Amino acid sequence: MTLYLFYFLSFVAIFSALLVVFSKNPVYSVLYLIITFFAIAGHYVLLNAQFLAAVHVIVYAGAIMVLFLYVIMLLNLNQESEPHKSNLIKIAAVVCGGLLMTVLIGTLRGASQVVHQPGKDIGLVKNLGKILFTEFLFPFEVSSILLLAAMVGVVMIGKGEDNSVNR
Amino acid sequence: MNIPIEYYIWLSAILFGIGVLGVLYRRNAIIIFACIELMLNAVNLLMVAFSSYLNDANGQVFVFFIMAVAAAEVAVGLAILVMMYRNTKSVDIDILNRLKG
């Protein structure tokens, strides 16, 4: 049963990831990316990492993808008039991606001796929070500074240069 | 859980390959950002899989931090994109080749 669920989620993830790359309209690309993220969240649930599944749906599907859609609609890019690369470059891109995938699979082949050890539900909020707020407390605080710096930078970039209206 | 870890390795490698393919294949800068997100997620998935199989919670904490960094990265990247569109009226990535030294 779990295996069939895995196959289904993997199929959905790969299929919609391919559609992200090959669909002409940027809005459709981003919507397919949301489907991919939901499939990956399903994988997280399957791996007994419920906290990360919830955070993944909230952060990616809730925040990042809304940002993407917002920018696409703000820039009015939802027409299909995007210039495309030449066929030679497209073929080269497909070959490069396929070769990289093959190399990755070949490199990581020796992991079959890793077997699942049942026990401790490490994916639950209780256990993960205990580690996050003891062992990883300092990186946690640093990431808040990172988010603040990103926010300040985005405001500075997005403000623009035209200071004709001084206030 | 009776899924071999190799299945997750294959899935993550395929998703990462699709992300690389998208970065090389498209010219729209927003789609390139989306493909970078796809690559980050492939790595996250593999990290969660190994963390869950080895009963080691550190991997899942790292995935949490990667998500925070990805959120910051997307915000800054899209702001740069909006600025680029404001100056050139296009999100074609080939326009940026004027940055070459």
Side-chain angles (χ1 to χ4, degrees), chain B residues 2-19:
Chain B
N2 46 9
I3 305 166
I5 189 79
E6 295 212 315
Y7 288 8
Y8 281 105
I9 292 173
W10 294 335
L11 174 64
S12 294
I14 290 169
L15 282 178
F16 195 89
I18 291 172

Side-chain angles (χ1 to χ4, degrees), chain B residues 59-75:
Chain B
Q60 303 201 6
V61 177
F62 272 115
V63 169
F64 185 69
F65 287 131
I66 290 175
M67 281 180 189
V69 173
E73 173 243 333
V74 163

Side-chain angles (χ1 to χ4, degrees), chain B residues 5-6 19 22-23 26 28 30 37 58 60 84 89 93 99-101:
Chain B
I5 189 79
E6 295 212 315
V23 169
R26 297 295 296 259
N28 190 336
I30 291 179
E37 292 302 310
N58 289 355
Q60 303 201 6
M84 177 181 144
K89 295 282 173 258
I93 202 75
L99 287 178
K100 66 189 172 198

Side-chain angles (χ1 to χ4, degrees), chain A residues 18-147:
Chain A
L18 281 173
L19 281 174
V20 170
V21 177
F22 292 114
S23 58
K24 295 260 188 291
N25 194 329
V27 177
Y28 290 161
S29 276
V30 172
L31 291 178
Y32 283 124
L33 194 61
I34 293 175
I35 297 177
T36 311
F37 285 163
F38 271 106
I40 290 176
H43 277 298
Y44 288 169
V45 173
L46 218 59
L47 283 166
N48 212 3
Q50 287 92 346
F51 171 69
L52 276 180
V55 168
H56 190 266
V57 168
I58 291 169
V59 171
Y60 275 104
I64 294 182
M65 287 302 110
V66 169
L67 207 62
F68 268 101
L69 279 178
Y70 189 72
V71 168
I72 287 178
M73 302 208 171
L74 193 71
L75 303 185
N76 199 15
L77 292 176
N78 42 4
Q79 69 268 24
E80 305 181 2
S81 61
E82 181 198 347
H84 279 275
K85 289 187 171 175
S86 65
N87 278 331
L88 184 67
I89 293 182
K90 282 182 176 175
I91 293 170
V94 172
V95 169
C96 285
L99 278 179
L100 182 72
M101 193 182 77
T102 317
V103 168
L104 276 180
I105 292 177
T107 312
L108 294 170
R109 253 179 54 178
S112 55
Q113 68 267 26
V114 175
V115 287
H116 182 243
Q117 301 156 353
K120 300 179 293 178
D121 288 325
I122 53 166
L124 300 182
V125 184
K126 187 182 163 194
N127 303 318
L128 218 52
K130 215 176 277 176
I131 293 175
L132 190 63
F133 287 113
T134 54
E135 203 178 331
F136 287 90
L137 183 62
F138 183 64
F140 184 74
E141 302 290 346
V142 169
S143 71
S144 74
I145 296 176
L146 172 80
L147 286 175

